Amino acid sequence: MQDKFASVEIPPIVAPKGTPTERVAVGMFNALQFDLHNGQSVFAPAYQLKVSVGTSQFTAYIDPTSGRPNSSIENVIAVYQLIELTTGKMVLNDIAYAHVSYDNPGSQQRFAGQRARRDAEDRAIVVAAEAIRNRLASYFVAGT
């Protein structure tokens, strides 16, 4: 399987500059590079993996006494296509979702809340990248 993964080229994931989505795009690119190539570069690519990412966040639970959110869910969505370079044909088109929850420490600890959200976002990126890797493995083994 490593030979097939090594033949997949991953171009940089494009996102608007200076936005939180750009941070997710860089994280997804790095996670995919690690999962597919162990951090190494591709020598003779046979496929290209095009990925676009998006994020969202919502409050999952609000404390009825204080009215403050106690937990939230961070979502990472990755839309990806695997393109065969010799024919230019799209052989795989799919979406990977990752939903990760985190606790909100309260309004007195704003930095801790921001850190919790960023950690949840990082975990969601890894989960989505692993889902993409697993789907590619399924394609390379079964051909579908």
Side-chain angles (χ1 to χ4, degrees):
M1 190 53 47
Q2 195 59 41
D3 294 343
K4 290 291 188 177
F5 286 159
S7 69
V8 177
E9 174 189 46
I10 307 166
I13 301 170
V14 179
K17 297 284 184 201
T19 64
T21 306
E22 183 183 29
R23 182 185 174 285
V24 172
V26 170
M28 180 66 70
F29 176 81
N30 292 339
L32 287 169
Q33 282 283 50
F34 180 77
D35 281 351
L36 299 180
H37 309 134
N38 295 324
Q40 299 175 4
S41 60
V42 178
F43 295 112
Y47 299 93
Q48 184 177 57
L49 181 66
K50 292 186 178 181
V51 182
S52 61
V53 294
T55 64
S56 64
Q57 182 264 341
F58 64 92
T59 301
Y61 175 74
I62 296 178
D63 186 320
T65 306
S66 66
R68 291 185 301 184
N70 277 356
S71 79
S72 297
I73 296 179
E74 186 71 31
N75 302 303
V76 171
I77 301 151
V79 179
Y80 59 97
Q81 297 87 30
L82 184 66
I83 299 166
E84 194 173 42
L85 292 176
T86 56
T87 62
K89 179 182 172 188
M90 182 184 344
V91 294
L92 182 62
N93 185 20
D94 210 346
I95 300 173
Y97 300 96
H99 312 286
V100 178
S101 66
Y102 64 97
D103 294 333
N104 292 327
S107 61
Q108 299 292 328
Q109 300 177 18
R110 289 181 298 208
F111 177 75
Q114 291 172 354
R115 190 69 239 174
R117 181 175 182 184
R118 182 170 284 187
D119 288 345
E121 194 174 73
D122 290 342
R123 285 181 289 145
I125 290 167
V126 169
V127 168
E130 288 173 352
I132 292 171
R133 182 202 59 211
N134 293 342
R135 179 64 180 100
L136 291 177
S138 174
Y139 170 76
F140 290 135
V141 169
T144 59

